[in-house]
Amino acid sequence: MTIKRQRGLALSALLLWGIAIGLVAILVIRVLPDVIEYSKIRHAVKAVASESSGKTVAEIRHAFGQYAEVEHIKTLGPADLDVFKEENQVVVAFAYERRIPLAGNVSLLIEFSGSSSARDSGQ
């Protein structure tokens, strides 16, 4: 007589896995829009910096403002950009923080920063 053992997942384990997956999904849903906007900002900054030869700081900021308007970037304005020269290249840099409320008085603080510098291209 062979005894067959049951295989499977207990109800309590299923509930724990469901809760864990749900919490991770909520975190991703809350953070993803800010990460997408950061990507748009980095793309706009790199595009503005690549077209910046011979332009003044005001013209560079105005060009970023146009990109921001097209891409619907609301977090960062043209005045928030740092524009400077590094090794005869124009570098456009930015940094900002986003506080994402999670539950009650618990929130997640993310510090975003980037620049058009060649050494920052791997970020």
Side-chain angles (χ1 to χ4, degrees):
M1 176 182 228
T2 309
I3 298 176
K4 291 187 177 182
R5 297 185 62 163
Q6 281 189 336
R7 289 188 172 171
L9 199 59
L11 183 60
S12 59
L14 181 65
L15 287 174
L16 287 176
W17 276 107
I19 290 171
I21 291 171
L23 290 175
V24 169
I26 289 171
L27 183 66
V28 168
I29 288 170
R30 298 244 176 154
V31 170
L32 194 60
D34 293 311
V35 172
I36 290 171
E37 186 168 40
Y38 169 71
S39 175
K40 288 180 182 180
I41 291 170
R42 284 196 59 201
H43 177 73
V45 163
K46 288 185 184 289
V48 166
S50 68
E51 301 167 357
S52 66
S53 66
K55 291 186 178 179
T56 65
V57 173
E59 291 172 334
I60 292 171
R61 288 187 172 153
H62 178 71
F64 177 79
Q66 290 176 332
Y67 271 97
E69 188 175 330
V70 169
E71 293 291 332
H72 303 289
I73 298 171
K74 304 290 184 210
T75 303
L76 197 70
D80 299 324
L81 297 178
D82 293 326
V83 182
F84 56 93
K85 276 200 169 191
E86 182 178 271
E87 298 176 4
N88 230 4
Q89 292 285 331
V90 174
V91 177
V92 181
F94 64 93
Y96 65 97
E97 295 180 347
R98 288 288 295 161
R99 186 175 305 272
I100 302 166
L102 296 177
N105 61 353
V106 177
S107 60
L108 177 66
L109 176 67
I110 304 176
E111 296 176 352
F112 293 105
S113 65
S115 76
S116 62
S117 172
R119 65 177 179 201
D120 286 343
S121 63
Q123 285 186 355

